[in-house]
Amino acid sequence: MENKTSAMLEKNSLSILFKALGALEEGFADLPAHAREAQETSGMEAVLLEAAARLQDNYPYFHPLYAGQMLKPPHPVARLAYALAMWINPNNHALDGGRASSAMEKEAVAGIARMIGWDTHLGHLCGGGTMSNMEALWVSGQLRPGDTVLASQQAHYTHHRLSSVLGLNFESVPTDRKSRMDLSQLEKRLEQGRVGTVIVTIGTTATGSVDPLPELLSLRDKYGFRIHADAAYGGYFCLVDNLMEETRRAYDRLSEVDSIVIDPHKHGLQPYGCGCVIFKDPSVGRFYKHDSPYTYFSSNELHLGEISLECSRPGASAVGLWATQKLLPLVKGGVFATGLGKSRSAALALFKKLAADNRFIPAFTPELDIVVWAVKAPSASRSSELARGIFSEAALFGLHLALAEMPVSFFDLPGDMVVDQDSLTSLRSVLMKPEHFDWIDRIYDILDQAGKHVCGHQD
Ligand SMILES: *Cc1c(COP(=O)(O)O)cnc(C)c1O
């Protein structure tokens, strides 16, 4: 019987998992029979049903009306491939622990490297963007000991914290009104010397702003620093065909950075636990293991554990990513790229509606798929209060947005608004699901209702 809830969570693909498990099993059919641990299923069932009940206490992350934080459901093929690998539970620390899944990891990472234009590279998967960025900053610190690391004020907070873990000097560079690194401020700092690495954020977590990479590359020619691209969230957007020209210019030169981080668990349709760090120069592998000749680091014999700071790592993550890239290749014009492009179109559609609505003040035009907007009010503090009110009211109507604390300079505030604080609590929506595009009208209807409840009726 079809009922309302039966279509909420995708379950049809589970039959494929069953088939694939059968195929996997065939590979081990020659083994002598062994007594498996007795499986007491009634206890398991009770516990699992209890877990299901507990897990209901979540926002509906999988649904288009969840349009808040950076949360994207994994593709069913990723989920199934990950689950399939669980029956083997490979460990990609070393080839011993995961032969097939290590090979799949190298293929998947090479796919990401090719996407940004690197034929040779050194890279691997990590637990997430934080661990990936840590490895990149660690290598930077090895190459430029004692020199400072710079990132914009809107870069992910992890860089400051990781620099302190690694004992590196860290300074932040102010941003312009579009949340991008301010180049004149950057150059002022570069003139003072001893800058070893500049982190370019390709898609900030808060607003999806893309730092001006082409100009940064020119400054590198003049001042000689390493460039690390934190593209944890934004990396995959290099495949879409609907970026603004200035954003596209940055993506087109990604292959010129020294290292890059892209999180498959952000926009790459993977379950959590899947980040990726890639270095342009494979010889940096020497920092991980001192006694190997560096040519070794791009050879096929390489153990991933020898070029990774983490030891045990889930082979299942690699299998999930490999399967996803096999089904949805990372190519321009492909299904994956089209889905991402729709997320960006959704953000533009929402931005357009907000700009035409005199209750709201959207920040600058979104560069990727994040939209940020403030609420019009007599003062900044009142505006912040209204934003919090709309956030809660929308959730009651089933629409889940996010709140973000943003500098007032990101908004074109009306001249008569009293700016009684430096930042505005604003509303934020990450439209990461391709379905968001088809849901924009419904999303806006709810926002409109919530706005009426909180701000009162217009005219
Ligand atoms: C999410 C994010 C990170 C941190 O990555 P995790 O996977 O959450 O550890 C770092 N940088 C940027 C730009 C991000 O969006």
Side-chain angles (χ1 to χ4, degrees):
M1 279 265 294
E2 272 299 301
N3 61 34
K4 189 168 168 285
T5 57
S6 68
M8 273 302 143
L9 298 178
E10 190 281 322
K11 299 182 285 292
N12 292 338
S13 61
L14 279 174
S15 59
I16 306 173
L17 177 60
F18 206 74
K19 225 184 223 173
L21 277 171
L24 173 60
E25 196 172 34
E26 281 169 21
F28 302 96
D30 293 342
L31 290 170
H34 77 300
R36 266 175 299 164
E37 272 178 66
Q39 312 260 313
E40 206 279 286
T41 53
S42 69
M44 271 206 290
E45 180 171 323
V47 170
L48 217 63
L49 291 176
E50 190 178 335
R54 293 286 299 266
L55 284 169
Q56 292 173 5
D57 178 27
N58 274 301
Y59 294 115
Y61 303 121
F62 53 87
H63 195 279
L65 285 180
Y66 183 85
Q69 310 283 3
M70 206 170 268
L71 289 148
K72 182 168 180 166
H75 192 281
V77 80
R79 215 156 47 203
L80 295 178
Y82 194 106
L84 174 67
M86 283 289 86
W87 267 264
I88 302 271
N89 197 29
N91 181 344
N92 278 12
H93 171 52
L95 291 180
D96 260 8
R99 262 208 317 267
S101 53
S102 292
M104 288 157 113
E105 174 165 342
K106 286 183 208 167
E107 288 172 41
V109 171
I112 296 176
R114 264 196 311 276
M115 173 179 82
I116 67 156
W118 289 346
D119 290 329
T120 59
H121 67 276
L122 184 85
H124 61 88
L125 301 180
C126 290
T130 304
M131 277 310 298
S132 317
N133 277 304
M134 181 158 111
E135 294 207 11
L137 292 186
W138 174 68
V139 165
S140 279
Q142 301 288 310
L143 286 163
R144 303 290 300 257
D147 286 353
T148 296
V149 175
L150 298 180
S152 93
Q153 278 171 357
Q154 287 290 322
H156 199 281
Y157 69 86
T158 196
H159 297 291
H160 189 187
R161 209 158 62 175
L162 291 173
S163 296
S164 99
V165 170
L166 294 165
L168 304 171
N169 303 319
F170 175 89
E171 290 172 36
S172 54
V173 180
T175 58
D176 63 15
R177 300 191 58 191
K178 291 179 175 176
S179 190
R180 302 166 179 164
M181 185 181 280
D182 184 320
L183 291 165
S184 57
Q185 299 277 352
L186 170 67
E187 187 155 16
K188 260 192 223 157
R189 176 59 190 84
L190 291 171
E191 281 163 359
Q192 294 167 27
R194 301 234 52 186
V195 172
T197 302
V198 177
I199 296 167
V200 60
T201 304
I202 302 296
T204 61
T205 316
T207 64
S209 297
V210 176
D211 283 341
L213 180 59
E215 291 76 5
L216 196 63
L217 289 164
S218 306
L219 288 170
R220 178 173 71 179
D221 293 340
K222 190 163 164 197
Y223 294 96
F225 46 82
R226 280 176 69 76
I227 298 181
H228 168 61
D230 183 359
Y233 143 72
Y236 289 107
F237 279 94
C238 64
L239 296 174
V240 311
D241 60 7
N242 57 354
L243 297 177
M244 295 192 289
E245 204 178 310
E246 49 197 319
T247 312
R248 173 45 66 195
R249 286 194 318 127
Y251 278 96
D252 283 347
R253 299 194 63 185
L254 264 186
S255 63
E256 294 171 61
V257 306
D258 297 292
S259 54
I260 189 165
V261 160
I262 295 180
D263 263 4
H265 73 197
K266 286 270 179 67
H267 247 310
L269 299 166
Q270 299 310 298
Y272 285 111
C274 194
C276 178
V277 60
I278 312 181
F279 298 93
K280 184 176 187 165
D281 173 7
S283 78
V284 301
R286 68 189 183 275
F287 295 119
Y288 290 87
K289 194 168 190 290
H290 292 264
D291 54 1
S292 298
Y294 79 83
T295 46
Y296 174 77
F297 296 108
S298 46
S299 92
N300 280 333
E301 311 311 313
L302 152 94
H303 287 218
L304 288 162
E306 289 164 315
I307 52 142
S308 167
L309 289 182
E310 288 172 280
C311 295
S312 294
R313 292 179 309 113
S317 272
V319 178
L321 185 62
W322 179 90
T324 308
Q325 288 178 198
K326 195 91 186 161
L327 183 71
L328 305 169
L330 301 177
V331 292
K332 287 181 179 169
V335 174
F336 178 78
T338 307
L340 267 188
K342 273 182 93 177
S343 286
R344 167 148 174 75
S345 300
L348 289 175
L350 178 60
F351 174 78
K352 214 169 141 195
K353 284 178 178 287
L354 290 163
D357 190 325
N358 64 11
R359 291 168 297 182
F360 300 121
I361 313 164
F364 41 84
T365 311
E367 283 193 79
L368 302 178
D369 62 4
I370 303 176
V371 189
V372 172
W373 68 102
V375 185
K376 220 169 260 180
S379 67
S381 53
R382 179 68 184 143
S383 164
S384 299
E385 218 175 287
L386 291 174
R388 286 189 288 268
I390 291 176
F391 167 78
S392 305
E393 196 70 15
L396 293 178
F397 290 122
L399 170 66
H400 304 280
L401 302 167
L403 289 169
E405 211 51 35
M406 291 286 142
V408 289
S409 62
F410 288 2
F411 304 91
D412 240 332
L413 300 178
D416 57 354
M417 184 163 165
V418 181
V419 183
D420 54 351
Q421 50 187 56
D422 296 336
S423 67
L424 277 177
T425 308
S426 44
L427 291 152
R428 169 171 166 268
S429 181
V430 187
L431 297 160
M432 297 189 100
K433 297 170 204 133
E435 309 92 275
H436 274 137
F437 181 70
D438 299 319
W439 278 71
I440 286 299
D441 286 342
R442 289 181 68 177
I443 287 173
Y444 211 83
D445 283 347
I446 300 179
L447 176 64
D448 176 49
Q449 276 185 55
K452 282 176 179 151
H453 275 232
V454 174
C455 310
H457 287 259
Q458 297 284 301
D459 47 64

